Amino acid sequence: MRAAYASVTKPDDPLAALAVGDLPEPSPPEGWVTVEVRASSLNHHDLFSLRGVGLPADRLPMVLGCDASGIDPDGNEVVVYPVVPDPADPRGFSLLSERHPGTLAERVAVPAENLLAKPAGLSFLDAACLPTAWLTAYHMLVTRGRVADADAVLVQGAGGGVATAAVVLAVALGKRVYATSRDATKRERIAALGAVAVEPGARLPERVGVVIESVGAPTFEHSMKCAEPQARIVVCGATGGHLATVDLRRVFAMRLDILGSTMGSRDELAALLDLVVQHNVRPVIDSTYGFSAVADAFAHLHSGDVFGKVAIDHLH
């Protein structure tokens, strides 16, 4: 079957580690099923894998990709939940493409319980954007951030998949949303999603109850200054640097919660699917590539000039 996979790992040149070609068909163990993939989407996780982060040499070649929608063996339209229990992993789980082959292929094998019904009104491409970035944003806002108790939200570094998802979801949940970006064009697009777009480090007109933080060192001081008493600063990444300076006086004086967050549960993905249908919101898709152009899709993601998700149409 056709697949996009890591043939080697190259920390300094991830695109050179990407291979596209034929690999053996999935051989699902008992309790697993094979899904015919109709659409998938890329994540920075895929670039990290090509760099060798979390992907040791003894697991190569490894099919990349965490996200997929497609057709199950009974002909049902499904969305794939990409988290697999993994006692050997310190987290207690692994994502597809870490220990088990991922979704950037004609077919992917997953535990049967990892399949959710795709809502009829949601396209395969839209559905394939939800299981990683959008689920992460949902978990950060609703579960870790307790956004129901907040009036306002700050999203740092809007433009990437998680950050744009957080903006759209927080707006849909009725919150006042502020979002930062260094890029003026991206700030215009953020504003079109319903947020107040501001430059990084800008003073907000109010403090916020939840901060969505994926940038790290360059923005963390600003995140803390913008937080109201007992606010939650929820961290899912550190694309700008992982060694942030934390003023502990502000942490204890303002009684702040600094919370780590990774992915979300299957039930949360089900709730997310319900939410996007109920509120008639759809993922922000930066661009769509046919599977035959998957290498170009990786190059585009690697360029950093992305607003939203990079989606893959497996029928082209």
Side-chain angles (χ1 to χ4, degrees):
M1 66 175 182
R2 292 187 308 166
Y5 58 96
S7 57
V8 294
T9 56
K10 291 185 176 292
D12 299 321
D13 190 6
L15 296 182
L18 175 67
V20 182
D22 288 333
L23 286 180
E25 293 282 345
S27 299
E30 184 177 354
W32 289 47
V33 296
T34 299
V35 174
E36 295 277 346
V37 180
R38 292 289 181 266
S40 61
S41 66
L42 302 187
N43 296 283
H44 282 282
H45 180 277
D46 301 310
L47 292 174
F48 293 147
S49 295
L50 291 168
R51 294 183 188 275
V53 178
L55 186 59
D58 61 0
R59 296 183 193 167
L60 299 174
M62 176 60 76
V63 179
L64 300 167
C66 301
D67 294 336
S69 60
I71 308 294
D72 74 5
D74 296 323
N76 301 306
E77 298 183 349
V78 295
V79 182
V80 174
Y81 175 59
V83 179
V84 180
D86 190 345
D89 191 288
R91 300 167 297 179
F93 67 86
S94 60
L95 304 181
L96 294 176
S97 77
E98 292 180 344
R99 190 176 300 276
H100 305 285
T103 59
L104 290 176
E106 292 182 79
R107 284 166 286 280
V108 62
V110 298
E113 62 267 21
N114 281 43
L115 300 185
L116 294 89
K118 182 181 75 65
L122 203 61
S123 72
F124 282 114
L125 282 168
D126 284 339
C129 293
L130 299 177
T132 297
W134 277 65
L135 177 58
T136 295
Y138 180 91
H139 181 72
M140 293 175 77
L141 284 167
V142 175
T143 305
R144 299 294 275 164
R146 306 192 307 277
V147 74
D149 299 331
D151 296 317
V153 175
L154 169 63
V155 180
Q156 294 283 18
V162 172
T164 52
V167 168
V168 173
L169 291 173
V171 169
L173 292 170
K175 307 303 174 180
R176 294 186 297 277
V177 182
Y178 304 91
T180 66
S181 176
R182 294 174 295 178
D183 185 284
T185 301
K186 288 184 178 180
R187 289 197 296 273
E188 291 179 5
R189 298 185 69 178
I190 291 165
L193 296 177
V196 176
V198 298
E199 294 186 15
R203 185 182 182 90
L204 303 185
E206 60 178 323
R207 295 183 185 273
V208 302
V210 177
V211 181
I212 300 300
E213 175 64 80
S214 61
V215 179
T219 57
F220 208 80
E221 182 179 5
H222 182 243
S223 292
M224 296 182 65
K225 288 181 177 178
C226 293
E228 68 184 17
Q230 301 185 69
R232 282 76 65 197
I233 301 173
V234 189
V235 183
C236 74
T239 57
H242 64 281
L243 297 177
T245 299
V246 177
D247 186 340
L248 294 177
R249 297 168 299 180
R250 189 175 292 275
V251 174
F252 65 73
M254 298 292 282
R255 293 161 290 156
L256 302 179
D257 289 344
I258 300 174
L259 303 166
S261 186
T262 301
M263 292 298 291
S265 70
R266 183 190 183 281
D267 288 346
E268 287 172 314
L269 179 56
L272 171 61
L273 290 168
D274 289 343
L275 187 153
V276 298
V277 172
Q278 177 184 351
H279 291 272
N280 195 32
V281 298
R282 294 295 181 267
V284 179
I285 296 180
D286 172 273
S287 50
T288 301
Y289 292 80
F291 192 85
S292 58
V294 68
D296 295 331
F298 269 89
H300 181 52
L301 179 65
H302 186 249
S303 75
D305 187 22
V306 174
F307 189 88
K309 294 287 293 176
V310 177
I312 309 295
D313 183 346
H314 283 237
L315 297 181
H316 294 89

